[in-house]
Amino acid sequence: MLTDLTDALRDSYGVHAAELHRIHAGTNTINYRIVDETGQRWFAKIYRGDLERERAAIELTEFARDGDVPVPAVRRTLDGDLICERVPMSLWEFVDGETAEGGLTGARWQAVGTVLGRLHRRLAEHPAAMPTRQPAVGVRDVGKAPRSFDRVIDGYASRARLSPFEQWAWEAAKERRGLLDRAGAILAELPDLTVQIVHGDLASPNLILCGDEVAAVIDFQPPSPRFIAWEIARIGCDPRTLMLGDDWIDGLAELLVAYRDEHPAAHVDDLVSSVATGCAYTLTSTYPLAEPLEDPGAVTPSLELYARARHETALVMLERLPDVQERLRERLIPRP
């Protein structure tokens, strides 16, 4: 692999690697930090999936970058291609910083809100799909959720022995199964919300921070229309942040105010409804409760911690939802 990568860097990019460092992050790619003979650093992504999907994701990244969203620049091959298919791989500028997996605190809320507003303002112009207003029940097909949870619950019940994590996941799945009607009611009570092209996977591992500033948004998905309230919740209600304590409520309000300042055309309903959509989506998702059954190799200690945090986050959002929505309305909707 390293020889192939070194050869591809030289022959396809004109980059002569002096150092190759494996980065143990990412699920669908194998990643390396490259230092070339001049000391410049690069980020290489080696793909294991559909290259057309990956190419579309890179093109969306470039579209966002052209709108002044902080995303890394992709280096094209000497032939002008986005992907070198001989490995296959893409090559990017290396961005210093750390992921937001430590949670959002302090001035980071406003910084993330500004970048997220700029991102959605730019992606609203993407030709693949113009923004529309759609019923919020489209955020999640709650009708399919009972069958998904029943498969998980029955799968654990059929096992002779369960590990401690599997036992916990079984109990958590049963608890969430009992809350699906409430999740459906939450979405049914929301107004129509905006659907447009979004990043697609804007969780904390895909947000690079340098101090309190956003250094880069990474790992875009191919362009697909989704609810922007859902994407706001992906980062604003990330489990790693909510587990830090109740400061997330005021922090989220700061994020949304900064978002609206950067994207004045955004509908207030989308912003106020972000916690509700995040709550309903998380309550009805079997990930990662189902991983020991569906993909045992993906179960790591960090995934187990995330699973517990995600479950707890769903319950916290459900419990605090009326209070949080009211506080967001107070910040975002001016009184007559």
Side-chain angles (χ1 to χ4, degrees):
M1 172 64 75
L2 293 182
T3 299
D4 291 342
L5 177 57
T6 300
D7 290 347
L9 287 167
R10 181 191 65 239
D11 299 338
S12 296
Y13 291 97
V15 172
H16 297 268
E19 300 177 26
L20 300 174
H21 302 277
R22 175 77 181 270
I23 299 175
H24 295 282
T27 55
N28 297 319
T29 59
I30 301 172
N31 303 324
Y32 285 89
R33 177 169 61 88
I34 313 295
V35 181
D36 68 21
E37 61 185 358
T38 70
Q40 185 169 354
R41 293 174 298 166
W42 303 93
F43 180 77
K45 297 177 67 171
I46 299 175
Y47 298 113
R48 296 181 286 192
D50 183 343
L51 292 188
E52 288 309 307
R53 283 183 52 82
E54 300 294 355
R55 186 173 283 106
I58 298 173
E59 290 171 349
L60 186 62
T61 305
E62 290 194 312
F63 184 87
R65 181 179 172 85
D66 288 343
D68 293 327
V69 179
V71 300
V74 64
R75 176 166 176 146
R76 292 176 177 258
T77 68
L78 297 176
D79 293 329
D81 296 326
L82 292 171
I83 292 177
C84 167
E85 296 193 12
R86 61 182 286 184
V87 173
M89 63 173 286
S90 61
L91 190 64
W92 306 75
E93 68 171 323
F94 189 88
V95 178
D96 283 313
E98 60 182 8
T99 69
E101 290 172 283
L104 300 184
T105 57
R108 290 182 171 185
W109 285 105
Q110 182 176 3
V112 172
T114 297
V115 168
L116 184 54
R118 188 179 306 161
L119 173 67
H120 284 170
R121 188 185 69 203
R122 172 59 174 167
L123 296 185
E125 302 170 352
H126 197 279
M130 292 296 102
T132 61
R133 303 285 285 177
Q134 297 184 21
V137 292
V139 168
R140 190 75 170 176
D141 189 345
V142 179
K144 293 182 179 179
R147 292 190 295 275
S148 298
F149 274 91
D150 288 343
R151 282 195 297 270
V152 174
I153 294 166
D154 293 344
Y156 285 126
S158 67
R159 292 193 169 187
R161 294 183 58 187
L162 297 176
S163 70
F165 175 69
E166 291 168 346
Q167 181 69 40
W168 173 85
W170 187 25
E171 298 300 328
K174 289 186 283 188
E175 182 176 14
R176 293 253 284 281
R177 174 65 172 83
L179 296 171
L180 295 180
D181 287 345
R182 293 183 66 183
I186 288 170
L187 295 178
E189 292 171 359
L190 294 177
D192 288 357
L193 301 175
T194 301
V195 173
Q196 67 165 65
I197 300 300
V198 295
H199 174 283
D201 191 19
L202 194 60
S204 58
N206 294 332
L207 196 66
I208 305 298
L209 302 173
C210 188
D212 289 333
E213 298 301 318
V214 177
V217 181
I218 63 173
D219 284 350
F220 283 66
Q221 296 297 298
S224 179
R226 298 196 68 164
F227 288 85
I228 64 169
W230 165 83
E231 180 143 286
I232 293 170
R234 286 295 308 279
I235 188 63
C237 302
D238 188 285
R240 303 162 184 87
T241 293
L242 266 66
M243 290 298 96
L244 297 177
D246 281 350
D247 288 348
W248 70 272
I249 300 174
D250 290 333
L252 180 61
E254 292 297 322
L255 181 152
L256 295 176
V257 169
Y259 179 105
R260 187 176 59 180
D261 288 345
E262 188 70 19
H263 186 13
H267 291 270
V268 172
D269 285 341
D270 294 314
L271 309 186
V272 173
S273 299
S274 58
V275 178
T277 58
C279 176
Y281 188 93
T282 308
L283 283 172
T284 57
S285 170
T286 60
Y287 178 81
L289 303 179
E291 292 308 280
L293 299 169
E294 297 177 355
D295 189 8
V299 180
T300 62
S302 62
L303 184 75
E304 293 183 11
L305 289 173
Y306 177 72
R308 295 175 187 273
R310 194 170 194 246
H311 177 66
E312 185 63 27
T313 293
L315 301 181
V316 167
M317 286 192 289
L318 181 62
E319 178 185 1
R320 303 298 301 275
L321 185 56
D323 175 52
V324 173
Q325 285 186 305
E326 183 58 32
R327 290 169 71 170
L328 294 180
R329 287 191 188 96
E330 291 174 355
R331 287 295 305 275
L332 295 166
I333 302 176
R335 296 184 180 277

